[in-house]
Amino acid sequence: MNNGSKFIQMITRKFFYSAFILGVTGILGSIFLPGCQYFTSAPPSQSLALNDSGYFEARGLNVMVFSNWYDGSFDDAKISGVEIIHHGVRTVTNGDVRLNPTPGQWDAIPEFVKRTVYKENGRIEAVLEYPRYNFQYTIRGEARDGGIYISVHANLPIPEELDGIAGLNLEFLPSAYFGKSFVANGVTGIFPLYPSSSMETINGETEPKPIASGTRITLAPENPERSITISCPDNRLFLFDGRNKAQNGWFVVRSLLPAGKSGKLVEWFITAQTLKNWTRKPVIAHSQVGYHPAQKKIAVIELDKNDKPEATVQLLKVNNDGSISKALLEKPKPWGAYLRYNYLTFDFSEVKEPGIYQLQYGEILTAPFRIGTDVYQTAWHPTLDVYFPIQMDHVFVREAYRVWHGASHLDDALQAPVNHHHFDLYAQGPETGTKYKSLEHIPGLNVGGWYDAGDFDIRTQTNQAVVMDLVRSQEHFNLSRDETTINQKNRYVEMHVPDGHADILQQIEHGVVQLLAQQKAIGYAVNGIVEAHIYQYRHLGDGVTKTDNLVYNPRLDSLQSDGHTSGTFDDRWAFTNKSTPLNYGSAAALAAASRVLKTYNSQLAEECLAVAQKIWTDEQRHEPDIFVYKGLNTIGGSLDMEVFRAAIELLHATGDSRYKVQIAEMYPEIAKQFGRFASLIAQALPLMDESFKKQVEPQVKTYMEQLAAIEKMNPFGVFISTGGWAGNGGVIQTAITCYLLHQSFPELVDKEYVLRGLNYIYGCHPDSDISFVSAVGTSSKRVAYGNNRADFSFLPGGIVPGILILKPDFPENKEDWPFFWGENEYVVNLGASYIFLVNAVNEIMSE
């Protein structure tokens, strides 16, 4: 998976994330340093002009025409088609031909064919098609007359079955227009905070009625930062509110494509107000958590390319009496251009006195942050204390007066039907692989495990990763924190109520009881357990209300129950394709858990190790079971990686030399992909002899040279991914890898690589200075994609994917719209790796 970023663009959501995490270090060997040491300049003209980056640009306004598209996704991520960045904010997307007035996540999307930029003509064209209807068309964008013309062209009339169905849509971000007005042919209205439009049925589908229509619609005429006008003299424009149909719906302007016509089917003329001489405000990227006195402290100042650098930047100290004193005043150092912005840096490492500080650049003053030896000590507590309990499946979770959720999915699980391709990256092949028939109940799976992300499925590979990261944290740092009552027998969890046991051990227990249950139920690792129906997958709120918690009984009527079973077909499905890599993953997680559970639950520890050894023995006796199905990310990592991982964990658990032999025999091939395996190799080093370390050392030197090259690619000094899932997971994993390598090669691996990764997560990144860990740091993510996302809220201690780079040059993380999963979706294994990284930083700063 060395070409990780290209691979990521082929798929979506959790596949984006897991593919990146598995392959992030593998990209290191193929990165080349671009020339980026000079500031860029804005075009002099205020009219839209086609720039060298392939989009239309004027000061305060960018119009992109399929710079981004659906990336082969199975759903609509609201990053495609005609898009508008208005005064530095992407407010418009998905300008394209769609088959619904307000398309939802799984509604039909076209296939992308090609995109052509005609620089000399100031025109961009994109060809797309709906193969099912044999309908191919072209979207054209052309800047002239003080605006941009967007038109749809087709060589043939639209197919009869698309008459009244296909239309040109343009979607507007609701949070950018809440409380603002609109005018349609002189009729006025206000964009509502909450949807209240009427609904109707069209071709069997419930759709919102338009809230306005006309041949000219202006959005936010009173607000020049957001005002956009669309004119279409030959076709009617309709304005819809898509949030009645889905909480993640947008405001949509739409014109139906006319029947019986070829050539130019519809044309819009779009103009946007811009503020004269608009310049984006600078961002002072820094750690919202603060800094240890002994570490490097470098703030990165992000500037609009029209902005002129200030002469000075200063660090201010907030004194105990409330007065402000100047701690350091210097001229910022030019770094150069990255993406669309120019950058300066300010090194205030010399300031070591503990206290409260703020950074000031021009009129921009940051929120207060601390310098102190203890700044990282508690930064992981919200993740373990709050986020992890919230993600626990099959248990009731209380926090003081609040119930986060009931004991969910106690009716797990039905055998997934054969030859079935699920909508969320699962599939069942031609056989179940088990003794159970399609849709037969598999008993014993309703224990343990964590909700994978913002949704509610148990993804086995994720659960394995969480267990191993938590074990690693416990073994390295001996985390005895006890703030949560966890009673597995009673399925009861209560936050902020200690029960005398280390919470991290109880979380590990919660993970392994699910992994063991799979082995007991079917004899190998389940791919995952996931809801059967899209209406359940879209479920927001308490997971206990997704199913009735009664095992499905096909002999009963749909509303009947005998008290133990019911005729309601709402149980989750277990996907059970045999996968040797996934099974080795369970062996690795169980072997790891056996080591730390000995003092907490010795019987469970013994069972974990026995099952792990059995999996290893069984898998070694036959050819690997490899389930291949396009687009899946639920069947484990690569075979070589999972065998290598399992050998390391079993060697650590048993000391058995056969695992050491396996590691040594695999290493020559593994070494050829050192970046991809670096973290595992680092974990193996303490278990192997000195000759193995000597083999590894040259590869470590090369790896660090590659990291040094990446360090120069942007002013933040980390690899920032450009795929469809933002890169915080990769940043954290690279930092952890550097920590582990630092343990064996302190002279080769500078601990600064560990610190830099954590500082990036805490706010030293593009676009903003926000901490990506909710409730950690002075200013942190308050709007994110958890299971409470419909409330525009957050899960304390959850970590979001972070900055998404929209092609070609726009970094984005929305803080006013939670529904961008590639930017804002919490994923549980990122929480586990974050806990490790914070404690790693605490340790190295105490060296």
Side-chain angles (χ1 to χ4, degrees), residues 776-789:
V776 175
T778 312
S779 176
S780 68
K781 285 295 294 184
R782 295 191 179 193
V783 174
Y785 193 108
N787 53 45
N788 61 347
R789 57 191 175 274

mmCIF file of all heavy atoms in Angstrom, residues 776-789:
data_model
loop_
_atom_site.group_PDB
_atom_site.id
_atom_site.type_symbol
_atom_site.label_atom_id
_atom_site.label_comp_id
_atom_site.label_asym_id
_atom_site.label_seq_id
_atom_site.Cartn_x
_atom_site.Cartn_y
_atom_site.Cartn_z
ATOM 1 N N VAL A 776 -10.116 18.977 25.054
ATOM 2 C CA VAL A 776 -8.710 19.006 25.460
ATOM 3 C C VAL A 776 -8.056 20.211 24.799
ATOM 4 O O VAL A 776 -8.028 20.311 23.567
ATOM 5 C CB VAL A 776 -7.970 17.710 25.077
ATOM 6 C CG1 VAL A 776 -6.485 17.821 25.397
ATOM 7 C CG2 VAL A 776 -8.581 16.525 25.819
ATOM 8 N N GLY A 777 -7.518 21.115 25.600
ATOM 9 C CA GLY A 777 -6.970 22.356 25.089
ATOM 10 C C GLY A 777 -7.963 23.494 25.261
ATOM 11 O O GLY A 777 -9.183 23.281 25.392
ATOM 12 N N THR A 778 -7.458 24.720 25.245
ATOM 13 C CA THR A 778 -8.322 25.880 25.489
ATOM 14 C C THR A 778 -9.432 25.981 24.453
ATOM 15 O O THR A 778 -10.593 26.222 24.783
ATOM 16 C CB THR A 778 -7.477 27.165 25.466
ATOM 17 O OG1 THR A 778 -6.315 26.990 26.274
ATOM 18 C CG2 THR A 778 -8.279 28.337 25.980
ATOM 19 N N SER A 779 -9.095 25.816 23.197
ATOM 20 C CA SER A 779 -10.077 25.846 22.115
ATOM 21 C C SER A 779 -10.010 24.513 21.388
ATOM 22 O O SER A 779 -8.989 24.182 20.794
ATOM 23 C CB SER A 779 -9.771 27.006 21.152
ATOM 24 O OG SER A 779 -10.653 27.007 20.057
ATOM 25 N N SER A 780 -11.083 23.741 21.452
ATOM 26 C CA SER A 780 -11.056 22.389 20.886
ATOM 27 C C SER A 780 -12.331 22.124 20.093
ATOM 28 O O SER A 780 -13.271 22.930 20.104
ATOM 29 C CB SER A 780 -10.906 21.346 21.996
ATOM 30 O OG SER A 780 -12.086 21.300 22.805
ATOM 31 N N LYS A 781 -12.379 20.984 19.411
ATOM 32 C CA LYS A 781 -13.525 20.619 18.583
ATOM 33 C C LYS A 781 -14.797 20.532 19.416
ATOM 34 O O LYS A 781 -14.887 19.747 20.352
ATOM 35 C CB LYS A 781 -13.284 19.267 17.909
ATOM 36 C CG LYS A 781 -12.310 19.285 16.759
ATOM 37 C CD LYS A 781 -12.808 20.112 15.576
ATOM 38 C CE LYS A 781 -14.021 19.528 14.924
ATOM 39 N NZ LYS A 781 -14.430 20.298 13.704
ATOM 40 N N ARG A 782 -15.770 21.373 19.053
ATOM 41 C CA ARG A 782 -17.065 21.368 19.734
ATOM 42 C C ARG A 782 -18.185 20.836 18.864
ATOM 43 O O ARG A 782 -19.307 20.634 19.346
ATOM 44 C CB ARG A 782 -17.416 22.774 20.200
ATOM 45 C CG ARG A 782 -16.481 23.313 21.261
ATOM 46 C CD ARG A 782 -17.029 24.589 21.866
ATOM 47 N NE ARG A 782 -16.165 25.111 22.913
ATOM 48 C CZ ARG A 782 -16.513 26.064 23.760
ATOM 49 N NH1 ARG A 782 -17.713 26.593 23.677
ATOM 50 N NH2 ARG A 782 -15.670 26.495 24.670
ATOM 51 N N VAL A 783 -17.908 20.675 17.585
ATOM 52 C CA VAL A 783 -18.901 20.148 16.645
ATOM 53 C C VAL A 783 -18.224 19.030 15.867
ATOM 54 O O VAL A 783 -17.266 19.281 15.130
ATOM 55 C CB VAL A 783 -19.414 21.246 15.693
ATOM 56 C CG1 VAL A 783 -20.328 20.655 14.644
ATOM 57 C CG2 VAL A 783 -20.131 22.339 16.475
ATOM 58 N N ALA A 784 -18.692 17.801 16.037
ATOM 59 C CA ALA A 784 -18.000 16.662 15.420
ATOM 60 C C ALA A 784 -18.998 15.574 15.057
ATOM 61 O O ALA A 784 -20.180 15.623 15.407
ATOM 62 C CB ALA A 784 -16.917 16.128 16.356
ATOM 63 N N TYR A 785 -18.487 14.571 14.355
ATOM 64 C CA TYR A 785 -19.303 13.484 13.813
ATOM 65 C C TYR A 785 -19.249 12.291 14.783
ATOM 66 O O TYR A 785 -18.583 11.299 14.561
ATOM 67 C CB TYR A 785 -18.744 13.093 12.443
ATOM 68 C CG TYR A 785 -19.603 12.205 11.588
ATOM 69 C CD1 TYR A 785 -20.251 12.702 10.462
ATOM 70 C CD2 TYR A 785 -19.732 10.851 11.848
ATOM 71 C CE1 TYR A 785 -20.996 11.894 9.626
ATOM 72 C CE2 TYR A 785 -20.488 10.021 11.040
ATOM 73 C CZ TYR A 785 -21.116 10.549 9.932
ATOM 74 O OH TYR A 785 -21.854 9.735 9.120
ATOM 75 N N GLY A 786 -19.946 12.459 15.930
ATOM 76 C CA GLY A 786 -20.200 11.336 16.821
ATOM 77 C C GLY A 786 -21.632 10.895 16.645
ATOM 78 O O GLY A 786 -22.361 11.402 15.787
ATOM 79 N N ASN A 787 -22.088 9.971 17.493
ATOM 80 C CA ASN A 787 -23.481 9.551 17.335
ATOM 81 C C ASN A 787 -24.460 10.609 17.840
ATOM 82 O O ASN A 787 -25.665 10.445 17.712
ATOM 83 C CB ASN A 787 -23.727 8.188 18.005
ATOM 84 C CG ASN A 787 -23.287 8.159 19.454
ATOM 85 O OD1 ASN A 787 -23.568 9.079 20.211
ATOM 86 N ND2 ASN A 787 -22.601 7.095 19.846
ATOM 87 N N ASN A 788 -23.936 11.729 18.399
ATOM 88 C CA ASN A 788 -24.780 12.863 18.779
ATOM 89 C C ASN A 788 -24.614 14.037 17.813
ATOM 90 O O ASN A 788 -24.891 15.179 18.160
ATOM 91 C CB ASN A 788 -24.453 13.318 20.203
ATOM 92 C CG ASN A 788 -23.005 13.774 20.361
ATOM 93 O OD1 ASN A 788 -22.166 13.530 19.490
ATOM 94 N ND2 ASN A 788 -22.688 14.422 21.473
ATOM 95 N N ARG A 789 -24.185 13.767 16.594
ATOM 96 C CA ARG A 789 -23.853 14.830 15.656
ATOM 97 C C ARG A 789 -25.064 15.669 15.264
ATOM 98 O O ARG A 789 -24.910 16.835 14.891
ATOM 99 C CB ARG A 789 -23.177 14.262 14.405
ATOM 100 C CG ARG A 789 -23.968 13.206 13.647
ATOM 101 C CD ARG A 789 -23.092 12.531 12.599
ATOM 102 N NE ARG A 789 -23.738 11.428 11.893
ATOM 103 C CZ ARG A 789 -23.762 10.177 12.335
ATOM 104 N NH1 ARG A 789 -23.213 9.868 13.500
ATOM 105 N NH2 ARG A 789 -24.350 9.228 11.639
#
